[in-house]
Each structure stands twice: as structure tokens, then as C-alpha cells.
mmCIF file of all heavy atoms in Angstrom:
data_model
loop_
_atom_site.group_PDB
_atom_site.id
_atom_site.type_symbol
_atom_site.label_atom_id
_atom_site.label_comp_id
_atom_site.label_asym_id
_atom_site.label_seq_id
_atom_site.Cartn_x
_atom_site.Cartn_y
_atom_site.Cartn_z
ATOM 1 N N LEU A 1 26.675 -0.445 9.750
ATOM 2 C CA LEU A 1 26.599 0.779 8.946
ATOM 3 C C LEU A 1 27.047 1.979 9.786
ATOM 4 O O LEU A 1 26.817 2.019 10.996
ATOM 5 C CB LEU A 1 25.157 1.015 8.480
ATOM 6 C CG LEU A 1 24.483 -0.096 7.667
ATOM 7 C CD1 LEU A 1 23.033 0.293 7.367
ATOM 8 C CD2 LEU A 1 25.206 -0.371 6.360
ATOM 9 N N SER A 2 27.657 2.962 9.122
ATOM 10 C CA SER A 2 28.011 4.204 9.824
ATOM 11 C C SER A 2 26.725 5.012 10.024
ATOM 12 O O SER A 2 25.715 4.740 9.379
ATOM 13 C CB SER A 2 28.988 5.013 8.977
ATOM 14 O OG SER A 2 28.297 5.514 7.836
ATOM 15 N N VAL A 3 26.787 6.033 10.897
ATOM 16 C CA VAL A 3 25.602 6.858 11.151
ATOM 17 C C VAL A 3 25.127 7.517 9.848
ATOM 18 O O VAL A 3 23.937 7.575 9.552
ATOM 19 C CB VAL A 3 25.888 7.932 12.231
ATOM 20 C CG1 VAL A 3 24.729 8.916 12.347
ATOM 21 C CG2 VAL A 3 26.103 7.253 13.579
ATOM 22 N N THR A 4 26.089 7.991 9.031
ATOM 23 C CA THR A 4 25.722 8.622 7.749
ATOM 24 C C THR A 4 24.969 7.634 6.868
ATOM 25 O O THR A 4 23.962 7.968 6.242
ATOM 26 C CB THR A 4 26.996 9.096 7.010
ATOM 27 O OG1 THR A 4 27.771 9.847 7.934
ATOM 28 C CG2 THR A 4 26.656 9.963 5.821
ATOM 29 N N GLU A 5 25.462 6.392 6.827
ATOM 30 C CA GLU A 5 24.805 5.365 6.003
ATOM 31 C C GLU A 5 23.428 5.035 6.556
ATOM 32 O O GLU A 5 22.464 4.886 5.802
ATOM 33 C CB GLU A 5 25.650 4.093 5.967
ATOM 34 C CG GLU A 5 26.895 4.204 5.122
ATOM 35 C CD GLU A 5 27.762 2.956 5.217
ATOM 36 O OE1 GLU A 5 27.968 2.433 6.336
ATOM 37 O OE2 GLU A 5 28.228 2.494 4.177
ATOM 38 N N ILE A 6 23.330 4.949 7.878
ATOM 39 C CA ILE A 6 22.028 4.633 8.494
ATOM 40 C C ILE A 6 21.020 5.736 8.154
ATOM 41 O O ILE A 6 19.859 5.471 7.852
ATOM 42 C CB ILE A 6 22.145 4.448 10.025
ATOM 43 C CG1 ILE A 6 22.922 3.160 10.341
ATOM 44 C CG2 ILE A 6 20.757 4.354 10.678
ATOM 45 C CD1 ILE A 6 23.211 2.937 11.811
ATOM 46 N N LYS A 7 21.484 6.993 8.161
ATOM 47 C CA LYS A 7 20.588 8.106 7.813
ATOM 48 C C LYS A 7 20.107 7.969 6.365
ATOM 49 O O LYS A 7 18.926 8.140 6.072
ATOM 50 C CB LYS A 7 21.288 9.455 8.032
ATOM 51 C CG LYS A 7 21.235 9.879 9.504
ATOM 52 C CD LYS A 7 22.286 10.874 9.927
ATOM 53 C CE LYS A 7 22.183 12.242 9.345
ATOM 54 N NZ LYS A 7 23.109 13.186 10.043
ATOM 55 N N ASP A 8 21.027 7.640 5.465
ATOM 56 C CA ASP A 8 20.653 7.443 4.058
ATOM 57 C C ASP A 8 19.658 6.301 3.894
ATOM 58 O O ASP A 8 18.670 6.414 3.178
ATOM 59 C CB ASP A 8 21.901 7.149 3.203
ATOM 60 C CG ASP A 8 22.602 8.427 2.750
ATOM 61 O OD1 ASP A 8 22.076 9.515 3.044
ATOM 62 O OD2 ASP A 8 23.663 8.334 2.108
ATOM 63 N N VAL A 9 19.948 5.182 4.566
ATOM 64 C CA VAL A 9 19.041 4.024 4.455
ATOM 65 C C VAL A 9 17.694 4.373 5.086
ATOM 66 O O VAL A 9 16.635 4.010 4.568
ATOM 67 C CB VAL A 9 19.658 2.749 5.088
ATOM 68 C CG1 VAL A 9 18.649 1.601 5.095
ATOM 69 C CG2 VAL A 9 20.907 2.311 4.315
ATOM 70 N N GLY A 10 17.714 5.132 6.181
ATOM 71 C CA GLY A 10 16.467 5.563 6.822
ATOM 72 C C GLY A 10 15.614 6.404 5.886
ATOM 73 O O GLY A 10 14.396 6.220 5.771
ATOM 74 N N LEU A 11 16.271 7.329 5.173
ATOM 75 C CA LEU A 11 15.554 8.186 4.218
ATOM 76 C C LEU A 11 14.988 7.334 3.075
ATOM 77 O O LEU A 11 13.844 7.517 2.641
ATOM 78 C CB LEU A 11 16.514 9.243 3.663
ATOM 79 C CG LEU A 11 15.942 10.260 2.689
ATOM 80 C CD1 LEU A 11 14.747 10.990 3.300
ATOM 81 C CD2 LEU A 11 16.996 11.283 2.273
ATOM 82 N N GLU A 12 15.781 6.372 2.635
ATOM 83 C CA GLU A 12 15.324 5.503 1.548
ATOM 84 C C GLU A 12 14.148 4.628 2.001
ATOM 85 O O GLU A 12 13.217 4.374 1.239
ATOM 86 C CB GLU A 12 16.478 4.619 1.085
ATOM 87 C CG GLU A 12 16.126 3.799 -0.130
ATOM 88 C CD GLU A 12 17.311 2.994 -0.630
ATOM 89 O OE1 GLU A 12 18.192 2.644 0.168
ATOM 90 O OE2 GLU A 12 17.338 2.708 -1.827
ATOM 91 N N LEU A 13 14.189 4.196 3.271
ATOM 92 C CA LEU A 13 13.065 3.417 3.808
ATOM 93 C C LEU A 13 11.782 4.235 3.759
ATOM 94 O O LEU A 13 10.721 3.729 3.409
ATOM 95 C CB LEU A 13 13.343 3.009 5.261
ATOM 96 C CG LEU A 13 14.258 1.812 5.493
ATOM 97 C CD1 LEU A 13 14.553 1.659 6.980
ATOM 98 C CD2 LEU A 13 13.642 0.527 4.958
ATOM 99 N N LEU A 14 11.892 5.511 4.120
ATOM 100 C CA LEU A 14 10.711 6.391 4.065
ATOM 101 C C LEU A 14 10.215 6.524 2.634
ATOM 102 O O LEU A 14 9.016 6.488 2.368
ATOM 103 C CB LEU A 14 11.063 7.784 4.589
ATOM 104 C CG LEU A 14 10.857 8.080 6.052
ATOM 105 C CD1 LEU A 14 11.043 9.562 6.300
ATOM 106 C CD2 LEU A 14 9.479 7.660 6.555
ATOM 107 N N PHE A 15 11.160 6.698 1.709
ATOM 108 C CA PHE A 15 10.805 6.852 0.290
ATOM 109 C C PHE A 15 10.127 5.586 -0.219
ATOM 110 O O PHE A 15 9.035 5.616 -0.771
ATOM 111 C CB PHE A 15 12.082 7.144 -0.514
ATOM 112 C CG PHE A 15 11.980 6.818 -1.985
ATOM 113 C CD1 PHE A 15 11.033 7.451 -2.780
ATOM 114 C CD2 PHE A 15 12.828 5.899 -2.576
ATOM 115 C CE1 PHE A 15 10.936 7.166 -4.144
ATOM 116 C CE2 PHE A 15 12.741 5.606 -3.930
ATOM 117 C CZ PHE A 15 11.796 6.231 -4.712
ATOM 118 N N ALA A 16 10.777 4.442 0.013
ATOM 119 C CA ALA A 16 10.253 3.191 -0.541
ATOM 120 C C ALA A 16 9.047 2.719 0.246
ATOM 121 O O ALA A 16 8.198 2.006 -0.274
ATOM 122 C CB ALA A 16 11.356 2.136 -0.520
ATOM 123 N N GLY A 17 8.967 3.119 1.522
ATOM 124 C CA GLY A 17 7.956 2.530 2.392
ATOM 125 C C GLY A 17 6.641 3.265 2.464
ATOM 126 O O GLY A 17 5.707 2.797 3.087
ATOM 127 N N HIS A 18 6.531 4.472 1.875
ATOM 128 C CA HIS A 18 5.214 5.096 2.014
ATOM 129 C C HIS A 18 4.614 5.614 0.718
ATOM 130 O O HIS A 18 3.438 5.452 0.473
ATOM 131 C CB HIS A 18 5.240 6.188 3.096
ATOM 132 C CG HIS A 18 5.332 7.571 2.573
ATOM 133 N ND1 HIS A 18 6.528 8.158 2.268
ATOM 134 C CD2 HIS A 18 4.377 8.488 2.280
ATOM 135 C CE1 HIS A 18 6.296 9.374 1.818
ATOM 136 N NE2 HIS A 18 5.014 9.602 1.811
ATOM 137 N N GLU A 19 5.422 6.229 -0.148
ATOM 138 C CA GLU A 19 4.842 6.828 -1.348
ATOM 139 C C GLU A 19 4.295 5.741 -2.279
ATOM 140 O O GLU A 19 3.230 5.881 -2.863
ATOM 141 C CB GLU A 19 5.916 7.671 -2.056
ATOM 142 C CG GLU A 19 5.404 8.463 -3.225
ATOM 143 C CD GLU A 19 4.566 9.688 -2.840
ATOM 144 O OE1 GLU A 19 4.595 10.102 -1.676
ATOM 145 O OE2 GLU A 19 3.883 10.221 -3.726
ATOM 146 N N THR A 20 5.039 4.639 -2.377
ATOM 147 C CA THR A 20 4.609 3.541 -3.257
ATOM 148 C C THR A 20 3.352 2.863 -2.707
ATOM 149 O O THR A 20 2.421 2.578 -3.459
ATOM 150 C CB THR A 20 5.726 2.492 -3.376
ATOM 151 O OG1 THR A 20 6.152 2.153 -2.061
ATOM 152 C CG2 THR A 20 6.906 3.036 -4.155
ATOM 153 N N THR A 21 3.319 2.639 -1.380
ATOM 154 C CA THR A 21 2.124 2.001 -0.803
ATOM 155 C C THR A 21 0.924 2.932 -0.869
ATOM 156 O O THR A 21 -0.199 2.482 -1.088
ATOM 157 C CB THR A 21 2.365 1.553 0.667
ATOM 158 O OG1 THR A 21 3.190 2.514 1.307
ATOM 159 C CG2 THR A 21 3.030 0.209 0.741
ATOM 160 N N ALA A 22 1.160 4.246 -0.732
ATOM 161 C CA ALA A 22 0.041 5.206 -0.855
ATOM 162 C C ALA A 22 -0.550 5.120 -2.262
ATOM 163 O O ALA A 22 -1.767 5.151 -2.451
ATOM 164 C CB ALA A 22 0.513 6.621 -0.560
ATOM 165 N N SER A 23 0.318 5.003 -3.260
ATOM 166 C CA SER A 23 -0.139 4.874 -4.643
ATOM 167 C C SER A 23 -1.013 3.621 -4.789
ATOM 168 O O SER A 23 -2.095 3.658 -5.387
ATOM 169 C CB SER A 23 1.076 4.790 -5.579
ATOM 170 O OG SER A 23 0.679 4.484 -6.889
ATOM 171 N N ALA A 24 -0.560 2.522 -4.198
ATOM 172 C CA ALA A 24 -1.329 1.268 -4.303
ATOM 173 C C ALA A 24 -2.656 1.343 -3.551
ATOM 174 O O ALA A 24 -3.656 0.766 -3.990
ATOM 175 C CB ALA A 24 -0.487 0.100 -3.795
ATOM 176 N N THR A 25 -2.716 2.079 -2.425
ATOM 177 C CA THR A 25 -3.998 2.192 -1.706
ATOM 178 C C THR A 25 -5.020 2.946 -2.558
ATOM 179 O O THR A 25 -6.207 2.631 -2.529
ATOM 180 C CB THR A 25 -3.847 2.902 -0.332
ATOM 181 O OG1 THR A 25 -3.195 4.154 -0.528
ATOM 182 C CG2 THR A 25 -3.103 2.062 0.675
ATOM 183 N N VAL A 26 -4.551 3.950 -3.323
ATOM 184 C CA VAL A 26 -5.471 4.671 -4.215
ATOM 185 C C VAL A 26 -6.019 3.717 -5.281
ATOM 186 O O VAL A 26 -7.217 3.700 -5.579
ATOM 187 C CB VAL A 26 -4.775 5.894 -4.875
ATOM 188 C CG1 VAL A 26 -5.650 6.480 -5.971
ATOM 189 C CG2 VAL A 26 -4.472 6.965 -3.832
ATOM 190 N N THR A 27 -5.139 2.893 -5.851
ATOM 191 C CA THR A 27 -5.587 1.905 -6.847
ATOM 192 C C THR A 27 -6.623 0.970 -6.227
ATOM 193 O O THR A 27 -7.656 0.682 -6.828
ATOM 194 C CB THR A 27 -4.389 1.063 -7.355
ATOM 195 O OG1 THR A 27 -3.398 1.946 -7.871
ATOM 196 C CG2 THR A 27 -4.809 0.086 -8.433
ATOM 197 N N ILE A 28 -6.354 0.511 -5.012
ATOM 198 C CA ILE A 28 -7.267 -0.433 -4.342
ATOM 199 C C ILE A 28 -8.645 0.204 -4.157
ATOM 200 O O ILE A 28 -9.664 -0.389 -4.505
ATOM 201 C CB ILE A 28 -6.674 -0.914 -2.992
ATOM 202 C CG1 ILE A 28 -5.494 -1.857 -3.256
ATOM 203 C CG2 ILE A 28 -7.739 -1.618 -2.134
ATOM 204 C CD1 ILE A 28 -4.653 -2.191 -2.031
ATOM 205 N N ILE A 29 -8.673 1.450 -3.636
ATOM 206 C CA ILE A 29 -9.989 2.052 -3.371
ATOM 207 C C ILE A 29 -10.747 2.286 -4.682
ATOM 208 O O ILE A 29 -11.957 2.069 -4.764
ATOM 209 C CB ILE A 29 -9.870 3.360 -2.521
ATOM 210 C CG1 ILE A 29 -11.229 3.706 -1.873
ATOM 211 C CG2 ILE A 29 -9.430 4.565 -3.327
ATOM 212 C CD1 ILE A 29 -11.413 3.189 -0.507
ATOM 213 N N LEU A 30 -10.040 2.696 -5.731
ATOM 214 C CA LEU A 30 -10.710 2.918 -7.021
ATOM 215 C C LEU A 30 -11.247 1.606 -7.586
ATOM 216 O O LEU A 30 -12.384 1.535 -8.067
ATOM 217 C CB LEU A 30 -9.728 3.541 -8.028
ATOM 218 C CG LEU A 30 -9.514 5.046 -7.915
ATOM 219 C CD1 LEU A 30 -8.367 5.494 -8.802
ATOM 220 C CD2 LEU A 30 -10.790 5.817 -8.275
ATOM 221 N N GLN A 31 -10.431 0.549 -7.529
ATOM 222 C CA GLN A 31 -10.864 -0.734 -8.101
ATOM 223 C C GLN A 31 -11.997 -1.360 -7.284
ATOM 224 O O GLN A 31 -12.911 -1.960 -7.848
ATOM 225 C CB GLN A 31 -9.675 -1.699 -8.233
ATOM 226 C CG GLN A 31 -8.626 -1.255 -9.248
ATOM 227 C CD GLN A 31 -9.179 -1.152 -10.675
ATOM 228 O OE1 GLN A 31 -10.266 -1.611 -11.002
ATOM 229 N NE2 GLN A 31 -8.413 -0.502 -11.547
ATOM 230 N N LEU A 32 -11.974 -1.197 -5.966
ATOM 231 C CA LEU A 32 -13.072 -1.724 -5.145
ATOM 232 C C LEU A 32 -14.362 -0.956 -5.441
ATOM 233 O O LEU A 32 -15.455 -1.520 -5.426
ATOM 234 C CB LEU A 32 -12.742 -1.620 -3.653
ATOM 235 C CG LEU A 32 -11.622 -2.516 -3.111
ATOM 236 C CD1 LEU A 32 -11.403 -2.248 -1.624
ATOM 237 C CD2 LEU A 32 -11.890 -3.998 -3.348
ATOM 238 N N THR A 33 -14.220 0.352 -5.725
ATOM 239 C CA THR A 33 -15.408 1.171 -6.027
ATOM 240 C C THR A 33 -16.015 0.744 -7.355
ATOM 241 O O THR A 33 -17.237 0.696 -7.514
ATOM 242 C CB THR A 33 -15.017 2.672 -6.077
ATOM 243 O OG1 THR A 33 -14.241 2.978 -4.922
ATOM 244 C CG2 THR A 33 -16.240 3.560 -6.092
ATOM 245 N N LYS A 34 -15.161 0.422 -8.314
ATOM 246 C CA LYS A 34 -15.660 0.032 -9.643
ATOM 247 C C LYS A 34 -16.133 -1.413 -9.684
ATOM 248 O O LYS A 34 -16.893 -1.796 -10.562
ATOM 249 C CB LYS A 34 -14.533 0.188 -10.677
ATOM 250 C CG LYS A 34 -14.120 1.608 -10.948
ATOM 251 C CD LYS A 34 -12.947 1.608 -11.934
ATOM 252 C CE LYS A 34 -12.309 2.969 -12.020
ATOM 253 N NZ LYS A 34 -11.136 3.003 -12.899
ATOM 254 N N ASN A 35 -15.643 -2.254 -8.776
ATOM 255 C CA ASN A 35 -15.934 -3.692 -8.833
ATOM 256 C C ASN A 35 -16.605 -4.171 -7.552
ATOM 257 O O ASN A 35 -15.979 -4.775 -6.685
ATOM 258 C CB ASN A 35 -14.630 -4.481 -9.070
ATOM 259 C CG ASN A 35 -13.967 -4.114 -10.382
ATOM 260 O OD1 ASN A 35 -14.342 -4.594 -11.439
ATOM 261 N ND2 ASN A 35 -12.986 -3.227 -10.314
ATOM 262 N N LYS A 36 -17.904 -3.905 -7.466
ATOM 263 C CA LYS A 36 -18.654 -4.253 -6.245
ATOM 264 C C LYS A 36 -18.616 -5.765 -5.968
ATOM 265 O O LYS A 36 -18.647 -6.199 -4.819
ATOM 266 C CB LYS A 36 -20.123 -3.804 -6.380
ATOM 267 C CG LYS A 36 -20.283 -2.290 -6.495
ATOM 268 C CD LYS A 36 -20.092 -1.595 -5.150
ATOM 269 C CE LYS A 36 -20.265 -0.101 -5.237
ATOM 270 N NZ LYS A 36 -19.028 0.666 -5.127
ATOM 271 N N ASP A 37 -18.541 -6.561 -7.045
ATOM 272 C CA ASP A 37 -18.498 -8.013 -6.871
ATOM 273 C C ASP A 37 -17.245 -8.443 -6.092
ATOM 274 O O ASP A 37 -17.270 -9.403 -5.324
ATOM 275 C CB ASP A 37 -18.524 -8.716 -8.237
ATOM 276 C CG ASP A 37 -17.427 -8.194 -9.160
ATOM 277 O OD1 ASP A 37 -17.200 -6.961 -9.178
ATOM 278 O OD2 ASP A 37 -16.783 -8.999 -9.853
ATOM 279 N N VAL A 38 -16.152 -7.693 -6.272
ATOM 280 C CA VAL A 38 -14.907 -8.014 -5.564
ATOM 281 C C VAL A 38 -15.102 -7.768 -4.071
ATOM 282 O O VAL A 38 -14.693 -8.576 -3.230
ATOM 283 C CB VAL A 38 -13.721 -7.175 -6.117
ATOM 284 C CG1 VAL A 38 -12.469 -7.344 -5.266
ATOM 285 C CG2 VAL A 38 -13.435 -7.560 -7.570
ATOM 286 N N VAL A 39 -15.789 -6.662 -3.739
ATOM 287 C CA VAL A 39 -16.058 -6.342 -2.332
ATOM 288 C C VAL A 39 -16.910 -7.450 -1.700
ATOM 289 O O VAL A 39 -16.610 -7.945 -0.608
ATOM 290 C CB VAL A 39 -16.763 -4.969 -2.195
ATOM 291 C CG1 VAL A 39 -17.094 -4.663 -0.741
ATOM 292 C CG2 VAL A 39 -15.879 -3.866 -2.780
ATOM 293 N N SER A 40 -17.974 -7.884 -2.415
ATOM 294 C CA SER A 40 -18.848 -8.947 -1.871
ATOM 295 C C SER A 40 -18.062 -10.226 -1.651
ATOM 296 O O SER A 40 -18.221 -10.904 -0.630
ATOM 297 C CB SER A 40 -19.999 -9.269 -2.835
ATOM 298 O OG SER A 40 -20.582 -8.072 -3.277
ATOM 299 N N LYS A 41 -17.227 -10.564 -2.606
ATOM 300 C CA LYS A 41 -16.465 -11.806 -2.501
ATOM 301 C C LYS A 41 -15.480 -11.745 -1.336
ATOM 302 O O LYS A 41 -15.282 -12.725 -0.612
ATOM 303 C CB LYS A 41 -15.721 -12.056 -3.823
ATOM 304 C CG LYS A 41 -15.291 -13.483 -3.965
ATOM 305 C CD LYS A 41 -14.933 -13.863 -5.378
ATOM 306 C CE LYS A 41 -14.349 -15.261 -5.333
ATOM 307 N NZ LYS A 41 -13.939 -15.757 -6.617
ATOM 308 N N PHE A 42 -14.897 -10.582 -1.137
ATOM 309 C CA PHE A 42 -13.965 -10.437 -0.018
ATOM 310 C C PHE A 42 -14.708 -10.484 1.316
ATOM 311 O O PHE A 42 -14.226 -11.057 2.286
ATOM 312 C CB PHE A 42 -13.146 -9.141 -0.164
ATOM 313 C CG PHE A 42 -12.217 -8.911 0.996
ATOM 314 C CD1 PHE A 42 -11.434 -9.955 1.500
ATOM 315 C CD2 PHE A 42 -12.110 -7.681 1.599
ATOM 316 C CE1 PHE A 42 -10.582 -9.758 2.587
ATOM 317 C CE2 PHE A 42 -11.268 -7.478 2.682
ATOM 318 C CZ PHE A 42 -10.499 -8.515 3.179
ATOM 319 N N MET A 43 -15.924 -9.912 1.363
ATOM 320 C CA MET A 43 -16.731 -9.990 2.594
ATOM 321 C C MET A 43 -17.005 -11.449 2.965
ATOM 322 O O MET A 43 -16.977 -11.820 4.134
ATOM 323 C CB MET A 43 -18.059 -9.224 2.425
ATOM 324 C CG MET A 43 -18.010 -7.757 2.781
ATOM 325 S SD MET A 43 -17.208 -7.316 4.351
ATOM 326 C CE MET A 43 -18.501 -7.570 5.553
ATOM 327 N N GLU A 44 -17.254 -12.277 1.921
ATOM 328 C CA GLU A 44 -17.470 -13.709 2.170
ATOM 329 C C GLU A 44 -16.240 -14.322 2.843
ATOM 330 O O GLU A 44 -16.341 -15.104 3.776
ATOM 331 C CB GLU A 44 -17.746 -14.462 0.848
ATOM 332 C CG GLU A 44 -19.102 -14.153 0.220
ATOM 333 C CD GLU A 44 -20.261 -14.340 1.201
ATOM 334 O OE1 GLU A 44 -20.346 -15.429 1.817
ATOM 335 O OE2 GLU A 44 -21.068 -13.401 1.378
ATOM 336 N N GLU A 45 -15.064 -13.964 2.314
ATOM 337 C CA GLU A 45 -13.833 -14.507 2.908
ATOM 338 C C GLU A 45 -13.693 -14.046 4.361
ATOM 339 O O GLU A 45 -13.353 -14.826 5.245
ATOM 340 C CB GLU A 45 -12.594 -14.088 2.093
ATOM 341 C CG GLU A 45 -11.309 -14.658 2.676
ATOM 342 C CD GLU A 45 -10.084 -14.453 1.798
ATOM 343 O OE1 GLU A 45 -9.661 -13.291 1.611
ATOM 344 O OE2 GLU A 45 -9.549 -15.447 1.288
ATOM 345 N N LEU A 46 -13.989 -12.751 4.609
ATOM 346 C CA LEU A 46 -13.909 -12.229 5.976
ATOM 347 C C LEU A 46 -14.841 -13.009 6.909
ATOM 348 O O LEU A 46 -14.475 -13.361 8.021
ATOM 349 C CB LEU A 46 -14.273 -10.743 5.995
ATOM 350 C CG LEU A 46 -13.190 -9.766 5.533
ATOM 351 C CD1 LEU A 46 -13.769 -8.363 5.388
ATOM 352 C CD2 LEU A 46 -12.025 -9.731 6.505
ATOM 353 N N LYS A 47 -16.070 -13.293 6.395
ATOM 354 C CA LYS A 47 -17.032 -14.054 7.221
ATOM 355 C C LYS A 47 -16.483 -15.435 7.534
ATOM 356 O O LYS A 47 -16.592 -15.935 8.663
ATOM 357 C CB LYS A 47 -18.380 -14.165 6.503
ATOM 358 C CG LYS A 47 -19.206 -12.893 6.618
ATOM 359 C CD LYS A 47 -20.543 -12.998 5.885
ATOM 360 C CE LYS A 47 -21.224 -11.640 5.875
ATOM 361 N NZ LYS A 47 -21.969 -11.395 4.635
#
């Protein structure tokens, strides 16, 4: 890739790589808060 292309792909990586995952982390924290049974079940797996 040319430097210009690498810059574009770099910007796109930032776009695709953080805003979407931030959105999903909010969903995760809300769903874990509403579903205590899911948290308990996951703790079992961790153990």
C-alpha cells in the first residue's frame, strides 16, 4: 500500500476497531446488570 492508502486504512481501523466495540461493551454491561443469572453462570465457568 502507498503511504496515503496506509493512512486511510489506519483511520478506518480506528473507526471499525473502537466505536463499534465500545457500543457492544455498553450492551454487555447493561445485559449483565439486568441478568444476574448470567453473571453467576459465567462465574461458574471462570471457577
Side-chain angles (χ1 to χ4, degrees):
L1 303 177
S2 70
V3 172
T4 310
E5 287 175 316
I6 291 175
K7 278 158 67 169
D8 275 356
V9 174
L11 182 56
E12 186 176 28
L13 280 173
L14 268 189
F15 158 60
H18 101 274
E19 186 74 15
T20 51
T21 37
S23 172
T25 53
V26 170
T27 304
I28 289 169
I29 199 94
L30 279 171
Q31 294 298 347
L32 292 178
T33 312
K34 292 177 192 177
N35 299 279
K36 296 284 181 253
D37 53 319
V38 172
V39 178
S40 313
K41 199 163 173 181
F42 177 45
M43 272 313 277
E44 289 308 308
E45 181 171 67
L46 282 171
K47 281 179 188 145

